[in-house]
Amino acid sequence: LLARGYVLQKKPVTAALYFAAVYNLDKKLIKGVKEPIKVLYGAKKYALAADLAGDYLKTKDSKDREVRAIQVKSLSFTRADSRKLRGAMRALVKLDPGTKDWWLKLARLDLAARDTASAIKNAKTWVDRHSKSLAGYKFLMPLVKTRKAERAAYVMCLDKLIEGNEVQVDLFV
């Protein structure tokens, strides 16, 4: 109750301290409430925000894009387990497939998890949405280089990287 009063008074840092105290005493009191998640994230209490966001998404609304984004950002700030971050990021991308921000990060996590097919798929999505992103093409090129089914993607990567003067081509090999 005191924390919500500080939210109304526009004192988020103090409210975050009280929400953290309530969390430590009895997590059930703020488990399914969206407001503490936003306040804790805004006050840079990322571990608590990620934990509460996960609980909120499990119990209340698993399709809440705003809370899912807070969860993903909080997990990335706290450098949480990559499997947990990858799962949250996949859920966020499913909620909002038009998002531009997470595809390359998800592709990198997929590659770290040795899921090359998903990494290629997500990197291609990134490249489709960011056609001028040389980082995306640099990431995608070695993944598709030896795959015959992905020859068109490899040629596209080479073309874009040559346009950006990122690859030196030796014609006399």
Side-chain angles (χ1 to χ4, degrees):
L1 189 61
L2 194 58
R4 289 194 177 118
Y6 281 113
V7 169
L8 292 175
Q9 290 181 355
K10 309 248 187 248
K11 295 181 180 179
V13 176
T14 309
L17 290 173
Y18 282 105
F19 279 130
V22 169
Y23 178 85
N24 289 333
L25 293 174
D26 191 7
K27 182 179 173 180
K28 294 176 187 174
L29 292 174
I30 58 173
K31 187 174 182 179
V33 184
K34 191 174 184 176
E35 184 180 40
I37 298 167
K38 291 181 190 179
V39 171
L40 288 166
Y41 178 75
K44 298 182 181 179
K45 305 277 186 194
Y46 299 124
L48 291 176
D51 191 30
L52 285 174
D55 288 342
Y56 178 85
L57 292 165
K58 284 178 189 171
T59 59
K60 287 282 187 175
D61 184 12
S62 64
K63 298 183 190 274
D64 191 333
R65 192 178 114 19
E66 181 184 17
V67 174
R68 183 68 72 180
I70 288 174
Q71 181 191 28
V72 169
K73 290 175 189 175
S74 296
L75 288 172
S76 64
F77 283 135
T78 58
R79 299 182 184 203
D81 180 35
S82 62
R83 283 180 275 138
K84 193 173 185 179
L85 177 60
R86 184 176 172 216
M89 209 176 281
R90 276 190 177 176
L92 177 63
V93 168
K94 283 181 185 175
L95 284 176
D96 187 13
T99 186
K100 295 181 179 182
D101 301 332
W102 301 106
W103 292 103
L104 190 59
K105 292 176 185 176
L106 182 57
R108 287 191 173 125
L109 286 173
D110 288 337
L111 188 61
R114 298 179 186 255
D115 187 358
T116 310
S118 291
I120 290 172
K121 181 182 128 208
N122 293 326
K124 280 183 174 181
T125 305
W126 171 266
V127 166
D128 288 342
R129 297 177 196 285
H130 298 87
S131 60
K132 295 181 182 179
S133 170
L134 295 179
Y137 292 109
K138 285 181 183 178
F139 178 81
L140 182 61
M141 190 173 83
L143 297 177
V144 297
K145 184 176 183 178
T146 58
R147 295 177 181 245
K148 291 182 181 181
E150 301 291 343
R151 189 55 75 189
Y154 179 66
V155 171
M156 176 186 64
C157 289
L158 282 176
D159 288 343
K160 292 293 185 173
L161 291 173
I162 289 170
E163 277 179 27
N165 295 324
E166 293 290 327
V167 174
Q168 294 179 353
V169 178
D170 190 4
L171 298 175
F172 302 106
V173 174

